[in-house]
Amino acid sequence: MIERFEMKNFGVNRHIAWEKLAGINVLIGENGSGKTSVLKMLYAVLRSLELNKKGNDPYSLGRILPDKLYWTFQVNKLGELVKKGTESSLRCRMALDGKNIEFEFGSDTNLTIKSLKTDFEESWGNTTVFIPAKEVLSLFSVIIKSREQDKMFGFDDTYLDLVHALSIPPQRGRNSRVFAAGRKNMDRLLGGKAVYDEKNKQWYFKNKNTRFSMGVMSEGIKKLAIFDQLLANRYLSQQSIVFIDEPEASLHPKAISEFMEFLYDMAKNGMQIFLATHSYFVIKKLCLIARREQYSIPFLGLSKDETIPLQYEDMIHGMPDNSIVDESVRLYQDEVDAVLGGEI
């Protein structure tokens, strides 16, 4: 589990220091405030630690991390990740499972990170996955061709890594009690299962004895099906760390509520989850879960306006002040003004 992390001069943010992280952690902010970039940085570091001298692979973190950052952010040089207008270096520090990793590089950095310190001498030993806002099940062949054949920018490493994770066939035998219950809840929410046809290299959605092309299914169904497959093939474990960008995308508010309950069940049994969201329904449901269960859900509010301080809260104490609720209140006030104005 990530216990804390600090980022300086990264992207649009001058300084982020998020401590006392928990099973579910939530980031919000307007478009352009850096939510997705923060998730991607954390993912790139974790994935690099996962691949560090894994098995018989001799490649060390010093070689893996720059390559992972390059393909995750798809920049011409790593120095482009440094906050514009600063002469200071980008610095990243993370405490993970009682160990530390830290690195830094300046705006003139090409594809090599010279300043890297870590307590991880071997592979981290767990798995991490990034689930982007856009679904991938109907884009499998396109992603593989774009990245592995054409070696082109477009689909970053979060997409490619997810495709590889989903390609693992479902495992036979009894799943853990927690994941077995989670899959039952997910199957109920989905109303069926995602099935991969290895021969035709296509995903299908199966409801009882009827099979549908995944292309005709809704974006929301595809996103939920991703989680179901990662539980079925055991890629995810109770020690995994999952990043989800806009979990609300294409989901009905009722499905969002049930999905948050599912994520809470996964988190309380060991999995760590980071969410970046624009949804009132997501933060409201998580706030209710936190208060109901007396369960810590740390909250980070980012802003692209440097004059506004970052917001560090915990939903166990109630709904934090945030721009999503502020806009909901503003729209309600506009409606009241319109109604009263019409009567006058």
Side-chain angles (χ1 to χ4, degrees):
M1 176 180 286
I2 302 175
E3 289 118 27
R4 62 183 181 276
F5 69 84
E6 181 180 21
M7 297 177 187
K8 291 185 177 181
N9 303 312
F10 169 52
V12 299
N13 291 290
R14 187 169 299 280
H15 187 205
I16 300 173
W18 204 4
E19 301 183 350
K20 297 180 180 179
L21 298 172
I24 299 177
N25 309 275
V26 181
L27 293 85
I28 74 158
E30 298 178 30
N31 293 329
S33 60
K35 301 183 303 299
T36 300
S37 292
V38 170
L39 293 189
K40 283 186 173 182
M41 176 62 83
L42 295 175
Y43 172 77
V45 174
L46 288 180
R47 182 67 176 148
S48 298
L49 289 171
E50 183 184 344
L51 297 173
N52 179 36
K53 295 183 180 179
K54 189 172 185 177
N56 294 323
D57 192 336
Y59 295 132
S60 64
L61 193 62
R63 176 168 177 174
I64 295 170
L65 179 58
D67 186 68
K68 179 57 67 174
L69 290 174
Y70 174 74
W71 283 105
T72 297
F73 289 96
Q74 300 197 343
V75 289
N76 292 317
K77 63 176 187 176
L78 297 184
E80 293 179 20
L81 299 177
V82 180
K83 181 176 174 58
K84 300 297 186 289
T86 181
E87 297 182 0
S88 301
S89 298
L90 182 158
R91 297 183 180 183
C92 181
R93 299 175 180 175
M94 179 191 297
L96 171 69
D97 293 340
K99 295 183 179 181
N100 297 289
I101 175 175
E102 60 180 278
F103 59 90
E104 68 176 279
F105 54 84
S107 58
D108 60 343
T109 301
N110 190 10
L111 297 175
T112 302
I113 297 176
K114 296 181 179 179
S115 179
L116 170 64
K117 299 178 182 178
T118 180
D119 297 330
F120 291 88
E121 297 181 359
E122 305 291 339
S123 171
W124 169 44
N126 292 316
T127 57
T128 184
V129 69
F130 190 110
I131 301 179
K134 188 175 183 62
E135 62 86 20
V136 303
L137 296 182
S138 58
L139 298 170
F140 248 55
S141 59
V142 177
I143 294 171
I144 293 293
K145 182 179 185 303
S146 172
R147 286 296 311 277
E148 297 193 341
Q149 295 180 30
D150 300 335
K151 304 293 183 181
M152 296 289 292
F153 281 179
F155 293 102
D156 62 50
D157 260 14
T158 63
Y159 286 90
L160 183 63
D161 292 345
L162 181 56
V163 164
H164 287 312
L166 290 168
S167 298
I168 300 170
Q171 301 296 302
R172 295 182 178 275
R174 179 176 296 180
N175 208 331
S176 71
R177 179 188 59 80
V178 173
F179 283 7
R183 288 207 67 206
K184 285 183 179 179
N185 291 333
M186 185 59 67
D187 290 348
R188 177 180 53 80
L189 187 56
L190 277 168
K193 296 178 181 294
V195 178
Y196 186 60
D197 186 329
E198 180 65 36
K199 181 179 179 180
N200 295 314
K201 305 297 181 183
Q202 283 188 310
W203 283 92
Y204 293 91
F205 184 78
K206 186 176 181 181
N207 182 358
K208 296 181 179 179
N209 295 323
T210 306
R211 195 170 76 165
F212 304 90
S213 171
M214 190 59 74
V216 305
M217 305 307 296
S218 72
E219 295 282 314
I221 288 293
K222 294 171 188 174
K223 176 167 284 190
L224 295 177
I226 287 173
F227 240 108
D228 186 58
Q229 173 67 4
L230 293 173
L231 293 177
N233 67 16
R234 317 278 175 91
Y235 185 84
L236 291 178
S237 72
Q238 288 176 245
Q239 289 75 44
S240 294
I241 299 179
V242 180
F243 301 92
I244 311 177
D245 195 11
E246 298 182 22
E248 68 274 10
S250 303
L251 289 179
H252 186 277
K254 182 179 179 181
I256 291 174
S257 183
E258 294 186 39
F259 190 29
M260 293 305 106
E261 290 283 2
F262 165 81
L263 293 179
Y264 166 67
D265 286 339
M266 296 297 101
K268 73 179 181 180
N269 285 284
M271 192 179 291
Q272 189 175 36
I273 299 165
F274 288 82
L275 307 175
T277 182
H278 295 287
S279 171
Y280 170 81
F281 295 103
V282 168
I283 59 174
K284 184 63 176 179
K285 180 61 179 183
L286 290 177
C287 183
L288 291 173
I289 290 174
R291 298 298 298 275
R292 182 190 76 206
E293 304 293 337
Q294 286 298 290
Y295 181 80
S296 174
I297 299 183
F299 172 99
L300 171 60
L302 298 175
S303 176
K304 56 186 177 183
D305 184 347
E306 290 192 39
T307 65
I308 299 176
L310 301 188
Q311 185 180 6
Y312 301 93
E313 305 283 353
D314 194 316
M315 291 187 179
I316 199 171
H317 303 306
M319 176 74 83
D321 293 334
N322 63 85
S323 57
I324 296 174
V325 172
D326 291 344
E327 182 63 13
S328 299
V329 172
R330 189 190 69 78
L331 290 175
Y332 174 73
Q333 187 61 55
D334 285 351
E335 181 181 21
V336 170
D337 292 344
V339 171
L340 292 178
E343 291 180 350
I344 294 173

